[in-house]
Amino acid sequence: MTATYFLILALLTVSLFLVGRQRASSIAGAEPSSLHSLPSYHGMFLAALIALSMLLVYVLGAPLANRYVEAQALAGIDPATIADGLGRSAVFRDIHSILAGTYAGTASPELANAASAYSSAVSLTGWLLLIGGVALALAAAMMGFRLIGPQFRARNSVERLIKYVLLACSAIAVLTTIGIVFSVVFETIQFFTKVSPIDFLFGLQWSPQTAIRADQVGSSGAFGIVPLVVGTLLITVIAIAVAGPLGLFAAIYMAEYASPRTRAIVKPILEILAGVPTVVLGFFAALTVAPFIRGWGETFGLSVSSESALAAGLVMGMMIIPFVSSLSDDVINAVPQSLRDGSYAMGATKSETIKKVILPAALPGIVSAFMLAISRAVGETMIVVMAAGLAANLTFNPLEAVTTFTVQIKTILVGDQEFDSAKTLSAFALGFVLFFFTLVLNFIALQIVKRYREQYD
């Protein structure tokens, strides 16, 4: 029914746009200048009224309809069966299986009645939403149809509506960010009621497994993040040491030296790296790069782990090259041509112009590209899991196995978890520290941009 609802919304929106435009054109007759706004603005005004009316009904009515459907489905179920969230989820999973015809075995009469009530409630609420949305849309269309006339400022109304829509989109983005932050902060506070913040921030051992029995082995419940910080920074430094020079030099070549034909071929090929799935890069790191590094180390008598920070960092550096090269390329191309011409007029060579004029002028954008690449490297998971391992090892040796924040978050939250245990809550604390780290990076980037920003006429 949802697909039908939005299909009718689209049909009514297009139809009322055409009707509104035709109505305005017929009023103007042979003198289009008699209208304050073009006929297309009148059509857009009617279309906006239709779309907003039906969207409003859906946004407000869909949650109420969902609650009603769930209440009807659970009315005949034993309350003891749905005492917690897992019980409710299991009941609705069985109901969906029955309705889809994939339920294994024979459903109990109680469950069959619940599925029937669920289906009836879904059909009823779907029709009510559709009728209510169409009714409100047609009422809004009649009101807008009466407003169409020579003096109606349809263009102003449409522009004002667009401004409000853009404002709402911005507010949703901001509120989403605030909601994420508060949800992480709340769980982090819960974690710090179980574990000391000092032990968490300055502890040298990470072993989140907590003992269930007194004699259980390998469950120390140590939550010191220093090994994770070291592992994350080690892999990130290796990655940016690879991606920084390669990406920046590639950007300089494509912006200043490459012909348009070469640029049109090389730039899309380089940016394909950004679209390669990280799990594929992880396989490449684990099956190709890591064995090569281990063999190379054995040649020189070095002890190299089968999973190493160097392997993960090298492949991660390959992954973030497009972030540095593409953004730096765009920033370098944005430098005014007049600066290049002035440098050449003073007798500077191309390389001198790049070093003394273009790169200083593009420095804020290049720094932003590097910061984005670093943030991308810090948040990577699959490559580290497959190439660097899961062991929280406090070492600065790139030839040994390490782990990162994101890997531990993934590891902790895999499978069924108790969300009131220190182990599970530690994932949210790690997320908060990671969020704070990326926030500091963005703040540093903004300060550098403010410090070195140059504006040109």
Side-chain angles (χ1 to χ4, degrees):
M1 188 61 75
T2 300
T4 303
Y5 188 93
F6 282 96
L7 177 61
I8 293 176
L9 185 153
L11 292 175
L12 287 178
T13 300
V14 173
S15 301
L16 267 296
F17 169 78
L18 298 175
V19 169
R21 188 178 62 178
Q22 179 61 34
R23 171 67 173 172
S25 299
S26 62
I27 291 176
E31 297 183 17
S33 59
S34 62
L35 287 175
H36 173 273
S37 306
L38 294 175
S40 59
Y41 279 105
H42 292 269
M44 283 189 283
F45 177 73
L46 280 185
L49 288 179
I50 291 292
L52 290 178
S53 299
M54 294 194 69
L55 286 176
L56 180 64
V57 170
Y58 187 83
V59 169
L60 297 179
L64 297 176
N66 188 53
R67 292 177 65 89
Y68 174 78
V69 169
E70 291 183 356
Q72 291 297 309
L74 299 176
I77 301 294
D78 183 6
T81 307
I82 54 175
D84 55 15
L86 293 177
R88 291 171 58 92
S89 299
V91 169
F92 282 112
R93 184 169 59 249
D94 291 341
I95 288 175
H96 292 153
S97 299
I98 292 173
L99 295 177
T102 59
Y103 186 78
T106 303
S108 64
E110 182 183 59
L111 195 57
N113 292 335
S116 177
Y118 180 90
S119 177
S120 301
V122 167
S123 177
L124 175 63
T125 54
W127 279 109
L128 289 177
L129 278 177
L130 181 59
I131 294 172
V134 171
L136 183 61
L138 293 178
M142 292 178 61
M143 180 189 69
F145 196 76
R146 293 178 180 177
L147 292 175
I148 295 177
Q151 302 304 317
F152 178 55
R153 300 175 178 267
R155 182 186 63 197
N156 296 20
S157 300
V158 171
E159 293 291 338
R160 188 161 52 248
L161 179 62
I162 292 174
K163 182 184 74 172
Y164 290 146
V165 170
L166 295 177
L167 177 62
C169 293
S170 302
I172 291 173
V174 172
L175 292 175
T176 301
T177 304
I178 294 174
I180 293 173
V181 171
F182 274 99
S183 63
V184 173
V185 168
F186 176 77
E187 300 296 342
T188 302
I189 293 173
Q190 293 289 102
F191 171 73
F192 285 143
T193 61
K194 301 176 181 293
V195 177
S196 170
I198 303 299
D199 295 339
F200 178 73
L201 295 175
F202 302 104
L204 301 182
Q205 183 181 3
W206 176 264
S207 179
Q209 301 295 333
T210 55
I212 300 176
R213 302 186 309 273
D215 59 343
Q216 190 170 359
V217 179
S219 301
S220 59
F223 295 94
I225 66 169
V226 173
L228 306 186
V229 173
V230 172
T232 301
L233 292 179
L234 182 60
I235 293 178
T236 302
V237 168
I238 296 172
I240 203 64
V242 173
L246 291 178
L248 182 58
F249 292 159
I252 293 173
Y253 171 76
M254 288 188 293
E256 299 297 326
Y257 290 98
S259 64
R261 178 181 176 82
T262 302
R263 176 184 171 85
I265 297 174
V266 174
K267 187 175 175 64
I269 294 176
L270 181 61
E271 291 180 347
I272 288 176
L273 273 176
V276 177
T278 56
V279 66
V280 175
L281 293 174
F283 276 121
F284 175 68
L287 301 179
T288 304
V289 178
F292 173 79
I293 293 175
R294 187 176 183 182
W296 171 83
E298 291 176 350
T299 303
F300 292 93
L302 300 175
S303 177
V304 183
S305 174
S306 59
E307 295 175 326
S308 64
L310 183 58
L314 290 176
V315 177
M316 194 181 298
M318 294 170 50
M319 178 191 70
I320 62 177
I321 284 175
F323 291 90
V324 178
S325 64
S326 182
L327 293 175
S328 298
D329 180 27
D330 295 338
V331 171
I332 291 173
N333 280 318
V335 175
Q337 183 63 33
S338 59
L339 293 182
R340 297 177 174 84
D341 296 338
S343 178
Y344 296 146
M346 296 296 291
T349 63
K350 179 180 280 289
S351 61
E352 290 173 338
T353 300
I354 293 172
K355 289 185 293 184
K356 302 295 185 181
V357 177
I358 296 175
L359 290 183
L363 182 61
I366 294 174
V367 170
S368 298
F370 272 69
M371 290 300 175
L372 178 63
I374 292 172
S375 299
R376 180 67 181 85
V378 169
E380 177 53 38
T381 303
M382 287 306 302
I383 294 176
V384 183
V385 169
M386 303 175 72
L390 302 174
N393 190 13
L394 180 55
T395 178
F396 292 94
N397 185 355
L399 302 180
E400 294 186 12
V402 296
T403 190
T404 62
F405 282 95
T406 54
V407 171
Q408 289 302 309
I409 293 173
K410 186 276 300 180
T411 304
I412 290 170
L413 296 180
V414 167
D416 295 334
Q417 302 293 336
E418 295 179 357
F419 276 83
D420 58 349
S421 66
K423 175 189 174 182
T424 306
L425 292 174
S426 65
F428 295 94
L430 292 176
F432 177 75
V433 174
L434 194 61
F435 176 82
F436 182 78
F437 179 73
T438 55
L439 182 65
V440 170
L441 284 180
N442 290 331
F443 178 77
I444 293 173
L446 288 175
Q447 294 305 311
I448 294 175
V449 169
K450 288 182 181 179
R451 174 67 178 82
Y452 294 101
R453 177 167 47 198
E454 299 181 21
Q455 296 181 353
Y456 308 101
D457 296 332

